[in-house]
Amino acid sequence: MVAPFGDRLRRARKRAGLSQRVLAVESGVSLSLIRKLEQGERQDTRLETARRLAAALHIPTTALIAAEAGDAAPASGARAAHWADVQTALDPDVPDPRDLDEPPTLAGVRADLDLAITHYTSGNLAGIATFLPGLIRDANTLAGLTDRGRPLRMEVMQITGRLMTQTRNYASAEVAFSLAQAEVPDELHAAALANNTTWLLLRRGRLREAGRLAARWAESLEPRLSRATPEDLSAWGWLLLRTAATASRDARPDDAAHALRLATAAAVTMPPPRPGKTLSRAGFIRRFTRLTVGMQRAEQAMVEDRPDEVLRVARQVGAKHLPPTVGNRNRHLLDVAHAQVLTRQHRDAMETMLLVERDAPEWLPHQRYAKEVLARIVAKRRTLTPDMRRLADTMRLPL
């Protein structure tokens, strides 16, 4: 039986020779919360709080969350029903309910996959939900008709897994990635799958697994920079960023900084894009740039409670002027809003949140982080503006 979080915290604090009061000062976590955790009045806490406590105790975050944080509950009610057909289509025991006159074709499935990727990158989640179940079934049928359909089905499962991860349907994401694993044709696609799986593990709070997977693949993929292709550099760079993300959350800032230095080398080496030339779509790998690394640097600074550094890096990135579909731009802007709240720039923080809502209205409600940032903004106001009330309702902010 795994010891409760409070018991692990108390033992770690005593081993470090700190009183509850000193730990509160060192970590920035309130004394009352530490007492409630150790006394069992609170059974768990946010990953960010665990990281603060672990950093103050000079231990990895995973030493405190030994059981690994449980899955966040997927969206409920109407939002869960939104994805019910996708989840059903992933079940191999459920027959295709459609009565189709003609079998799917390679060209048709590929065109639908391109449309799915376009919807995903633009944040049109409702759009992709309408036809993704049919795409999954067509890909399964095609893979049974021709060997050329198998790699295509793998790509469909990759984008499905990413979508399920994004919408917090984690069990379905795991099924999709498992199905993709069975069809991986080469190392580049396998690396992309590792990148996607690491993201899933990270969102589920399984830091140790995520860190090991990302680090193992980053080490395996490390290229000779003088000969590396854009695809090689992008795959390596994204896995380095996953390594940095898990390390920073696990209170290992030196490991995170090392991964970011290597990621910077990958971005600097990346040749400029040539007109008409795009990356191979292997596993939905996106182009890796210095802006991508900059956003990760800001995220690491936010995890380490350095809001001034977040805003300094954000000025260099200039994400507000980037297209909404660029990399992790919208996630980065949540870090900016959080940093603005912590530096008492509440009006600016609200403007940043409204910008993200404008550009990614379907994406934003699925972000638990966004809800936490908005809660901080609302807590500082005696009277809410109409935009604050509307956004709080949209994101189902608890009363």
Side-chain angles (χ1 to χ4, degrees):
M1 181 177 178
V2 177
F5 180 92
D7 289 350
R8 295 194 295 276
L9 174 61
R10 181 172 57 254
R11 287 198 295 267
R13 177 180 59 78
K14 288 183 177 179
R15 183 171 297 184
L18 301 181
S19 67
Q20 290 181 333
R21 189 175 301 278
V22 171
L23 177 58
V25 172
E26 293 291 326
S27 66
V29 176
S30 70
L31 177 60
S32 63
L33 177 56
I34 291 173
R35 285 173 174 167
K36 288 178 181 178
L37 288 168
E38 291 195 2
Q39 293 168 4
E41 294 179 36
R42 284 277 300 273
Q43 298 302 315
D44 56 17
T45 190
R46 293 173 51 227
L47 185 58
E48 178 185 344
T49 303
R51 190 209 64 80
R52 288 183 179 182
L53 292 167
L57 294 166
H58 302 291
I59 59 175
T61 310
T62 44
L64 284 181
I65 54 170
E68 302 286 3
D71 293 356
S76 57
R79 203 168 285 165
H82 205 52
W83 306 111
D85 289 343
V86 176
Q87 295 162 353
T88 300
L90 286 170
D91 188 340
D93 295 326
V94 177
D96 189 340
R98 303 171 301 172
D99 184 15
L100 303 177
D101 296 330
E102 298 181 352
T105 64
L106 284 167
V109 172
R110 185 167 293 283
D112 286 345
L113 175 59
D114 288 340
L115 183 59
I117 292 173
T118 298
H119 279 309
Y120 181 87
T121 55
S122 65
N124 184 7
L125 303 188
I128 193 173
T130 58
F131 69 87
L132 186 58
L135 174 58
I136 292 171
R137 294 188 175 99
D138 285 348
N140 285 333
T141 299
L142 188 64
L145 296 174
T146 172
D147 287 343
R148 294 173 63 192
R150 295 171 68 102
L152 206 52
R153 175 167 64 179
M154 184 273 303
E155 291 191 55
V156 171
M157 292 306 168
Q158 288 261 37
I159 187 64
T160 301
R162 287 187 63 87
L163 180 66
M164 293 293 97
T165 301
Q166 187 68 266
T167 55
R168 294 166 58 195
N169 291 289
Y170 297 146
S172 296
E174 189 168 296
V175 170
F177 289 150
S178 177
L179 293 170
Q181 180 68 52
E183 314 253 29
V184 170
D186 53 42
E187 186 178 56
L188 194 59
H189 283 83
L193 180 58
N195 177 49
N196 291 332
T197 304
T198 299
W199 180 41
L200 170 61
L201 292 170
L202 189 59
R203 291 203 70 171
R204 298 179 85 168
R206 290 158 60 177
L207 295 182
R208 185 177 291 112
E209 292 176 69
R212 287 173 178 170
L213 180 62
R216 184 173 73 247
W217 270 96
E219 182 178 356
S220 173
L221 287 173
E222 184 170 359
R224 289 187 61 179
L225 296 183
S226 61
R227 298 182 181 179
T229 67
E231 288 82 4
D232 293 335
L233 292 168
S234 291
W236 185 48
W238 280 109
L239 283 160
L240 287 168
L241 291 194
R242 298 295 188 208
T243 302
T246 54
S248 61
R249 284 166 174 76
D250 200 19
R252 294 183 283 112
D254 291 344
D255 291 343
H258 176 66
L260 282 176
R261 283 194 296 272
L262 293 177
T264 300
V268 169
T269 308
M270 179 72 72
R274 289 183 290 171
K277 176 70 174 177
T278 60
L279 280 182
S280 165
R281 199 174 54 191
F284 194 41
I285 288 180
R286 293 165 291 167
R287 190 172 186 88
F288 193 75
T289 69
R290 298 188 195 192
L291 289 177
T292 315
V293 179
M295 292 178 196
Q296 183 61 47
R297 288 191 184 279
E299 180 179 320
Q300 181 178 345
M302 191 69 264
V303 169
E304 295 172 357
D305 295 320
R306 296 185 288 133
D308 290 331
E309 177 65 9
V310 174
L311 297 178
R312 186 191 71 80
V313 174
R315 286 191 291 271
Q316 296 176 344
V317 172
K320 291 184 178 181
H321 305 293
L322 295 174
T325 56
V326 171
N328 295 324
R329 178 256 197 188
N330 293 322
R331 171 61 176 75
H332 167 68
L333 287 177
L334 295 183
D335 280 329
V336 173
H338 190 185
Q340 288 168 331
V341 169
L342 295 180
T343 55
R344 301 182 181 181
Q345 302 174 55
H346 298 100
R347 180 177 298 178
D348 291 342
M350 191 62 197
E351 289 178 359
T352 302
M353 292 291 291
L354 291 173
L355 173 62
V356 177
E357 184 202 23
R358 185 198 71 187
D359 291 340
E362 295 183 41
W363 174 85
L364 190 62
H366 292 287
Q367 309 309 307
R368 186 167 52 179
Y369 183 28
K371 186 178 294 187
E372 293 167 357
V373 174
L374 182 61
R376 287 174 177 263
I377 296 173
V378 168
K380 298 296 182 180
R381 297 275 305 199
R382 288 187 177 181
T383 303
L384 303 186
T385 66
D387 279 335
M388 289 178 181
R389 293 196 298 271
R390 177 185 54 74
L391 196 54
D393 289 341
T394 298
M395 299 184 64
R396 293 177 169 82
L397 198 67
L399 295 175

